């Protein structure tokens, strides 16, 4: 995944004994994005919530082409829903919402730090 953090953003928030940092960004659109960063500096999960979907090409980085292909395939197969669920090529993603109220998450299971329960992050 790619980091959407601007160079002048404040330092990531972290708590004692937590094996990751959280970088929270408010996009110009009003959408809030949280990036979960491992001690090695790799983004292993992202969440978003707001009135507009984030730019997935930026958010998903080199995983974007697989996401785009899967989403286009679903639409081509007649899937019309406000919830998109994907699990492919090491990427797990769910995006849901309607105009003005979107939320979702994406994570890379292989990069989740030992001891982190992904479901706890995504609540």
């Amino acid at each position: 995944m790619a980091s959407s953090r601007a160079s002048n953003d404040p330092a990531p928030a972290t708590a004692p004994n937590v094996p990751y940092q959280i970088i929270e960004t408010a996009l110009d659109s009003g959408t809030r994005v949280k990036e979960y960063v491992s001690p090695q500096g790799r983004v292993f999960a992202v969440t978003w919530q707001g009135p507009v979907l984030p730019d997935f090409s930026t958010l998903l980085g080199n995983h974007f082409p697989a996401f785009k292909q899967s989403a286009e395939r679903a639409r081509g197969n007649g899937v019309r829903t406000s919830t998109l669920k994907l699990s492919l090529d090491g990427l797990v993603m769910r995006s849901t919402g309607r105009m003005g109220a979107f939320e979702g998450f994406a994570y890379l299971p292989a990069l989740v730090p030992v001891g982190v329960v992904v479901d706890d992050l995504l609540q």
Side-chain angles (χ1 to χ4, degrees):
M1 287 192 204
S3 174
S4 62
R5 183 173 171 225
S7 60
N8 61 351
D9 283 350
T14 189
N17 303 319
V18 176
Y20 58 87
Q21 296 177 331
I22 300 171
I23 300 170
E24 187 166 353
T25 305
L27 305 179
D28 290 340
S29 65
T31 296
R32 300 193 71 73
V33 174
K34 288 183 182 179
E35 296 173 302
Y36 298 84
V37 183
S38 72
Q40 296 76 28
R42 306 270 321 255
V43 176
F44 66 90
V46 293
T47 61
W48 58 89
Q49 184 174 19
V52 177
L53 286 170
D55 177 0
F56 288 131
S57 65
T58 300
L59 206 62
L60 301 177
N62 62 353
H63 297 278
F64 177 72
F67 155 75
K68 183 177 178 187
Q69 183 180 30
S70 182
E72 288 173 352
R73 188 178 315 116
R75 278 195 294 272
N77 290 335
V79 175
R80 302 283 188 256
T81 179
S82 62
T83 300
L84 175 64
K85 295 178 184 178
L86 300 173
S87 183
L88 61 133
D89 296 336
L91 171 70
V92 176
M93 181 175 171
R94 183 181 68 88
S95 182
T96 189
R98 57 178 167 66
M99 191 175 285
F102 295 96
E103 64 182 29
F105 63 81
Y107 67 94
L108 303 169
L111 296 182
V112 175
V114 174
V116 173
V117 179
V118 173
D119 289 342
D120 293 345
L121 303 178
L122 307 178
Q123 294 183 28

